Structures are given as structure tokens and as C-alpha cells.
């Protein structure tokens, strides 16, 4: 109903789908290209570092910069520049050493820092408050379905000996298509500022908006602590597949697909439980689910056995994603949308950098299986901590708005 009646949201939905499918194909194609070029699993840590380092350094400044920019234009230029970089890489890849993939990942990561907060900040301007849980659920379902499709498509194409570089060309075409639909999102949204503010001051104000707000500060601190360990799960899985099961990295796509299918189920459930359950439980539960799913790797002897476990933890993650984003959209002020979601995206992605470095050290020093046990135990402890430090968030936004505005 929402997709049919709200034309702006429908076009935003299509843009998100095309961009996510393109990025999913691109990421796994580059990962496979790196494996083919090097034949070693040692380079994967640097692969993830190159992707997440720009997020750590530039997420908040970029989010502040786009605060008074036209959101549709930001999204357009971000995707267009990704297309240009992919085409340049395709033209020169036969002459490049494998290390050149790292600058490419840095640039793609930076461009994503423009696209994602602009995309998320656009939704509250085109969807009414009461429809936002449903809208976020549809976006999450679309995200999940397309990412599943992208991963399965890439994995099967690779198994059919389809060249990773050819798959990168597919990504470029999809990103070009997304630009056509960005232009159809109306009205054009720009947060006008009566008085031009210094970018550094705006960035500090955005951080201050969070740290002076007791509820939001606690939520973001918990999110940062959790993502420090959660973000390195893929690195653990890659090492587990290569070193323990002797399977190719393309099988990570199937594990990710199982998790994403679970996320789709969780996203479908979330709008129905969002107003009926204490949101604190929906936010904390994924930590316990992840600790169990990672811990079970210690006993797994075939990668197919991983699929049902990661499907179940995906359900909890789906509920978390919808709950956290919808809660933020409903309690933060509109002038802080881009800055808050930039901080949110920075934490979601940038905490992977120190997490991956620490996990990489664990993998090297104590091995894959003991790293699995350590990470699972840590995530379980963080879940217990969340029960005690996160305040009750209630079931209705009115009470939460009073609490979050009581600074």
C-alpha cells in the first residue's frame, strides 16, 4: 500500500534496491578478485581495513557537510563517482598489482559515506510519522532480499567461472540505473539554514546533541561497544572457511544469505512488535543470538551446518535494525537527522576497524577456533551489560520524546 500510494517512497525504495544489489555484487567480486590474485587469506584483514578506515575518519565530517545540501544531488553524485571509479579500475586492472584494490576500496567507502546518510535522512521528509515503522520494514526487507540476491548471484556466477571483473561491470550498470530513479524522488529536499554555520561547529553540535542526551548517549555507547566485536564476524567466517573447512570465500555469500533471510523475517515481524514490546529487549537480544551463532562454529565440520544457526540470529538482527532506526527517526529533531545518522553509520561501520585489527591479532596468536570461543563469550557478556545499562525505552514515542528532550 505504501509503495503504491507514496511515489517518492517507491522511488527511494528502488534506488536503495539497485544500489545495494550493485554494492553486494561489487564487494564479493573484489573479494574474489583479491583471492585469485594472491592465493592467500592473509590479505583479507587489509581488505576490510581499507574499506572501514575512511568510515572511521570521515563519516561525521561528511554527514555534517551534507546537512545543508540537496539530498538527491548528494546521492546522485555519490553513485556516479562510484561508476567512474569502477570503470577506471576495469580499464587498468590487467596492469595493476593487487595492492591497488585498497585505494579503490577507500574511495568506494568514502562515496558510501555520502550516499547512506543522505538516503536515510530523506525518508522522514517523504513518509508520515505513523508510517515510518512500515517504511523502514519495507526498506529492510528490500535490503535483505536484494543483498541475498546479490550474494547468491555473485557466488553462482563465480562458481560458473564468471570473471569478477565482468561482475564489476554489472555493478556499474546498476548504479547508473539507480541515478535515473534518484531524479524522480520529489520534492527535492534541502535543509535550508538561515545562518551559515562553521562545519566544525556543526559537527561538534551534532556530537553534543547525542552526548548531552542521557538516553541517546547510552544507546550509542552500547552500539559502539557491540559493533567493535560484531563487525569482525565476517573476518572470522572467512578464516574459518579457509583455514578450518578449506572452502572458498564465495561460500561466505551463502552464509550471509542465510543470515539475511533471517533478517528479512525479523524485519517483517518488527512493525508488529515495535509498539507492543519494550524496545530495550529488541535492541539487546541480537547480542545473545550472535554469541550463540559464533560459538557453534567451534563444533561445525561442514559449512552447510552454519546456515540454520545464522538464519536464527538474523531474525534478532532484523528486529534490532528496524527498532533502532525507527526509534532515532521518531525522537531526534529534524535538523539533526543527517548528523545523527552519520554518527550512527560511523559507529556501525567504523568500529569494524579496531575490531578487525584485534580479531586479526586473535586469529594469528590463538588460532581460529579459540578466537571463536573468545568472541562468542565477549558478545554474551556485552548482552548482559546492555540489560543493566540501557534504560527502559517504553512502547510509545511520546514518553520517549519527553525523556530524550529532558537535557
Amino acid at each position: 500500500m505504501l509503495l503504491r500510494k507514496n511515489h517518492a517512497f517507491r522511488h527511494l525504495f528502488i534506488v536503495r534496491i539497485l544500489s545495494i544489489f550493485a554494492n553486494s555484487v561489487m564487494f564479493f567480486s573484489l573479494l574474489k578478485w583479491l583471492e585469485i590474485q594472491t592465493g592467500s587469506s592473509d590479505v583479507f584483514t587489509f581488505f576490510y581495513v581499507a574499506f572501514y578506515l575512511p568510515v572511521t575518519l570521515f563519516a561525521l565530517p561528511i554527514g555534517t557537510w551534507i546537512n545543508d545540501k540537496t539530498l538527491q544531488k548528494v546521492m546522485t553524485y555519490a553513485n556516479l563517482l562510484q561508476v567512474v571509479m569502477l570503470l577506471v579500475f576495469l580499464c587498468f586492472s590487467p596492469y595493476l598489482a593487487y595492492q591497488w584494490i585498497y585505494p579503490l576500496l577507500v574511495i568506494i567507502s568514502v562515496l558510501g559515506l555520502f550516499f547512506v546518510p543522505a538516503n536515510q535522512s530523506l525518508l522522514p521528509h517523504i513518509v508520515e510519522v505513523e508510517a515510518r515503522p512500515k517504511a523502514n520494514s519495507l526498506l529492510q526487507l528490500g535490503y535483505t532480499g536484494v543483498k541475498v540476491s546479490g550474494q547468491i548471484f555473485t557466488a553462482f556466477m563465480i562458481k560458473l567461472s564468471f570473471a569478477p571483473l565482468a561482475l564489476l561491470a554489472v555493478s556499474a550498470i546498476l548504479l547508473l540505473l539507480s541515478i535515473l530513479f534518484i531524479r524522480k524522488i520529489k520534492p527535492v529536499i534541502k535543509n535550508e539554514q538561515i545562518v551559515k554555520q562553521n562545519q566544525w561547529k556543526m559537527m561538534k553540535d551534532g556530537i553534543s546533541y547525542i552526548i548531552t542526551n542521557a538516553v541517546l548517549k547510552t544507546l550509542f555507547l552500547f552500539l559502539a561497544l557491540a559493533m567493535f566485536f560484531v563487525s569482525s564476524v565476517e573476518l572470522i567466517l572467512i578464516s574459518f572457511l579457509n583455514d578450518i573447512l578449506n572452502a572458498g570465500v564465495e561460500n561466505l555469500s551463502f552464509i550471509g544469505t542465510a543470515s539475511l533471510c533471517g533478517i528479512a523475517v525479523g524485519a517483517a515481524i518488527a512493525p508488529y512488535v515495535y509498539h507492543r514490546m519494550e524496545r530495550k529487549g529488541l535492541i539487546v537480544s541480537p547480542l545473545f543470538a550472535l554469541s550463540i551463532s559464533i560459538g557453534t562454529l567451534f563444533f561445525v565440520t561442514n559449512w552447510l551446518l552454519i546456515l540454520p544457526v545464522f538464519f536464527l540470529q538474523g531474525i534478532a538482527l532484523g528486529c534490532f535494525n528496524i527498532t533502532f532506526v525507527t526509534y532515532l527517526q521518531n525522537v531526534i529533531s529534524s535538523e539533526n537527522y543527517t548528523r545523527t545518522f552519520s554518527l550512527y553509520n560511523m559507529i556501525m561501520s567504523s568500529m569494524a576497524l579496531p575490531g578487525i585489527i584485534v580479531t586479526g591479532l586473535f586469529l594469528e596468536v590463538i588460532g581460529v577456533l579459540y578466537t571463536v570461543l573468545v568472541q562468542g563469550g565477549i558478545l554474551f557478556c556485552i548482552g548482559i551489560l546492555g540489560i543493566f545499562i540501557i534504560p527502559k525505552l517504553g512502547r510509545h514515542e511520546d514518553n520517549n520524546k519527553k525523556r530524550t528532550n529532558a537535557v
Side-chain angles (χ1 to χ4, degrees):
M1 186 70 71
L2 186 61
L3 284 171
R4 190 176 76 245
K5 290 187 174 181
N6 190 325
H7 299 289
F9 175 72
R10 182 170 68 246
H11 293 137
L12 180 68
F13 182 81
I14 294 172
V15 168
R16 182 83 68 96
I17 282 178
L18 290 171
S19 299
I20 289 167
F21 192 92
N23 287 324
S24 180
V25 173
M26 183 197 318
F27 188 85
F28 282 98
S29 298
L30 290 172
L31 195 63
K32 187 63 180 180
W33 184 85
L34 185 61
E35 183 189 53
I36 293 171
Q37 295 296 114
T38 63
S40 171
S41 61
D42 297 334
V43 295
F44 295 134
T45 298
F46 295 104
F47 182 92
Y48 281 94
V49 168
F51 188 78
Y52 289 117
L53 179 61
V55 182
T56 306
L57 300 176
F58 304 121
L60 201 53
I62 288 174
T64 302
W65 182 82
I66 69 174
N67 191 60
D68 60 345
K69 302 298 184 293
T70 303
L71 297 178
Q72 286 93 328
K73 286 185 178 180
V74 172
M75 293 162 62
T76 297
Y77 291 131
N79 279 2
L80 183 60
L81 287 173
Q82 280 197 69
V83 172
V84 172
M85 293 310 303
L86 286 176
L87 293 178
V88 170
F89 182 77
L90 287 172
C91 291
F92 292 97
S93 59
Y95 314 104
L96 299 177
Y98 78 87
Q99 289 89 347
W100 281 96
I101 199 173
Y102 301 135
L104 175 65
L105 285 167
V106 168
I107 295 170
I108 289 173
S109 180
V110 169
L111 293 173
L113 296 177
F114 288 92
F115 180 88
V116 174
N119 188 280
Q120 288 177 321
S121 299
L122 193 56
L123 186 140
H125 293 284
I126 61 177
V127 177
E128 298 296 329
V129 172
E130 62 274 10
R132 286 176 192 166
K134 182 64 175 177
N136 282 312
S137 176
L138 287 170
L139 287 175
Q140 183 65 62
L141 286 170
Y143 168 89
T144 304
V146 171
K147 193 146 189 178
V148 166
S149 302
Q151 290 183 354
I152 292 176
F153 170 79
T154 308
F156 274 116
M157 290 298 100
I158 290 172
K159 285 184 177 294
L160 292 173
S161 301
F162 208 75
L165 294 178
L167 293 172
L168 291 179
V170 173
S171 296
I173 293 170
L174 291 171
L175 288 170
L176 283 174
L177 286 175
S178 73
I179 294 172
L180 298 178
F181 286 95
I182 292 172
R183 297 172 63 86
K184 294 184 178 182
I185 301 174
K186 306 294 181 183
V188 174
I189 301 299
K190 180 178 181 179
N191 291 325
E192 298 287 352
Q193 294 183 339
I194 298 175
V195 180
K196 280 285 183 182
Q197 298 184 42
N198 177 271
Q199 295 292 315
W200 176 247
K201 183 179 184 303
M202 289 174 63
M203 189 168 65
K204 290 195 297 183
D205 290 345
I207 297 174
S208 177
Y209 180 74
I210 300 297
I211 65 176
T212 58
N213 188 307
V215 176
L216 294 180
K217 180 175 69 173
T218 303
L219 284 175
F220 274 75
L221 287 174
F222 175 78
L223 181 68
L225 179 61
M227 292 308 299
F228 182 92
F229 297 98
V230 171
S231 299
S232 59
V233 170
E234 279 193 6
L235 180 60
I236 293 175
L237 285 170
I238 289 175
S239 299
F240 185 78
L241 289 170
N242 274 274
D243 300 338
I244 305 300
L245 301 183
N246 297 315
V249 296
E250 64 271 16
N251 292 309
L252 180 65
S253 298
F254 297 111
I255 299 173
T257 295
S259 179
L260 288 168
C261 287
I263 290 174
V265 174
I269 294 172
Y272 301 100
V273 299
Y274 182 81
H275 295 295
R276 294 177 176 84
M277 288 182 62
E278 164 59 48
R279 284 131 198 196
K280 175 180 175 178
L282 296 174
I283 289 174
V284 172
S285 59
L287 273 299
F288 298 109
L290 272 169
S291 69
I292 294 171
S293 61
I294 292 174
T296 55
L297 294 177
F298 190 84
F299 307 98
V300 168
T301 57
N302 188 307
W303 69 269
L304 290 171
L305 300 176
I306 303 174
L307 304 183
V309 178
F310 272 76
F311 170 78
L312 292 175
Q313 61 89 16
I315 296 175
L317 285 176
C319 290
F320 167 84
N321 290 337
I322 301 303
T323 300
F324 206 102
V325 171
T326 303
Y327 182 82
L328 290 180
Q329 288 173 343
N330 289 342
V331 300
I332 63 176
S333 55
S334 60
E335 65 269 18
N336 283 288
Y337 275 146
T338 56
R339 284 176 285 190
T340 302
F341 280 112
S342 290
L343 184 60
Y344 170 78
N345 285 307
M346 182 185 73
I347 291 173
M348 290 291 286
S349 299
S350 67
M351 292 309 295
L353 180 60
I356 284 169
I357 293 173
V358 170
T359 301
L361 290 174
F362 281 167
L363 290 168
E364 184 177 345
V365 174
I366 65 176
V368 177
L369 292 180
Y370 286 110
T371 300
V372 162
L373 292 181
V374 170
Q375 293 283 70
I378 291 174
L379 287 170
F380 187 85
C381 292
I382 295 174
I384 296 293
L385 181 64
I387 294 174
F388 292 100
I389 68 170
I390 297 178
K392 289 185 177 180
L393 302 178
R395 298 179 176 84
H396 301 288
E397 245 63 57
D398 290 339
N399 293 332
N400 291 328
K401 277 189 176 180
K402 292 177 183 177
R403 188 184 301 134
T404 53
N405 290 327
V407 178

